[in-house]
Amino acid sequence: MSNQALFVLGGTGERGVCCPGLLTAPLDEGQAVELAKVFKALGDPVRLRLLSMIASRAGGEICVCDLTPAFDLSQPTISHHLKLLRQAGLIDCERRGTWVYYWLLPDMTDRLAGILTRPVGGPVPAPAEAPS
Amino acid sequence: MSNQALFVLGGTGERGVCCPGLLTAPLDEGQAVELAKVFKALGDPVRLRLLSMIASRAGGEICVCDLTPAFDLSQPTISHHLKLLRQAGLIDCERRGTWVYYWLLPDMTDRLAGILTRPVGGPVPAPAEAPS
């Protein structure tokens, strides 16, 4: 299956090094639109559980037949959630015979982690003191 | 104003140390529901731009009067987005006279960064080879 990942975030993919940094400078509108798609994909409990099951699987991949039984949801619903994770660039998959196998695309989670990491020496937000 | 942060993620708040790890073990349903609320708050371009403006502000806080002009949106709409970020535990605020001032709550972004960071020595997902 084709990888529909959104390569939205630029940068080198190195861990902890990512641009644009959400915490370092104001995002422009285009960056925000693309990044919001990825966070929106994560903004659902079923998709988070699916992603955690895929990412933590020993061996690095998991059959959809091992994902579905964990949910009280139909196969098409699970497949829809998996499609949204795939379109966000968080996972990829491959059909082999009857089943589809999924794996994490760690570049994207690395980039999100980098985006959410505070810059060294950057602004240090702190609760403000009310003026007297 | 009260801090309506959702303290959903447990852990110590140390950078890079966070539980539950999204990538280390399957999330349970309760963890996924709470974590999804935070990612959902980030899943909107206007909220991401607001958060980046707040987080990157030199001095660590910003007046709502400096946020609104960057958007072609009404003050109540901006306030609604800010409220959702605050309810997710990403920012907090304080009214001083006419204006409300906002600042980042870095514990939450640190926790999200930790959650999205791959464990050292954990599963190493890789695209699978199709069997011949």
Side-chain angles (χ1 to χ4, degrees), chain A residues 55 57 59-60, chain B residues 118 121-126:
Chain A
R57 182 70 164 195
Chain B
R118 278 184 282 170
V124 182

Side-chain angles (χ1 to χ4, degrees), chain A residues 15 22-27 32 36 39 43 45 48-49 52 55-57 61 96 103 106 109-110 116-118 123 127-128 131, chain B residues 15 22-27 32 36 39 42-43 45 48-49 52 55-57 61 96 103 106 109-110 116-118 123 127-128 131:
Chain A
R15 298 181 72 168
L22 180 60
L23 309 181
T24 54
L27 292 178
F39 283 124
L48 282 180
R49 289 179 62 203
S52 71
S56 64
R57 182 70 164 195
E61 64 172 34
R96 289 182 222 141
W103 57 87
T109 49
D110 287 354
L116 290 160
T117 297
R118 279 183 283 169
Chain B
R15 298 181 73 170
L22 179 61
L23 308 182
T24 54
L27 292 177
F39 283 124
L42 294 172
L48 281 180
R49 288 179 63 201
S52 72
S56 64
R57 182 71 163 194
E61 63 172 36
R96 289 181 223 143
W103 58 87
T109 48
D110 287 354
L116 290 161
T117 297
R118 278 184 282 170

Side-chain angles (χ1 to χ4, degrees), chain A residues 29-116:
Chain A
E29 200 165 338
Q31 292 167 338
V33 166
E34 294 305 314
L35 186 53
K37 291 178 187 173
V38 185
F39 283 124
K40 195 170 181 181
L42 293 173
D44 177 274
V46 172
R47 290 197 290 277
L48 282 180
R49 289 179 62 203
L50 285 167
L51 185 65
S52 71
M53 290 173 74
I54 294 166
S56 64
R57 182 70 164 195
E61 64 172 34
I62 186 167
C63 174
V64 69
C65 58
D66 292 323
L67 292 169
T68 311
F71 300 87
D72 189 20
L73 295 168
S74 69
Q75 173 69 54
T77 300
I78 295 293
S79 292
H80 175 70
H81 284 300
L82 289 166
K83 181 181 172 184
L84 294 179
L85 289 172
R86 197 158 57 88
Q87 288 178 334
L90 289 157
I91 61 173
D92 203 358
C93 67
E94 180 178 73
R95 177 177 291 279
R96 289 182 222 141
T98 306
W99 301 112
V100 181
Y101 293 78
Y102 289 87
W103 57 87
L104 180 73
L105 291 178
D107 275 3
M108 184 59 88
T109 49
D110 287 354
R111 290 176 186 185
L112 294 179
I115 277 172
L116 290 160

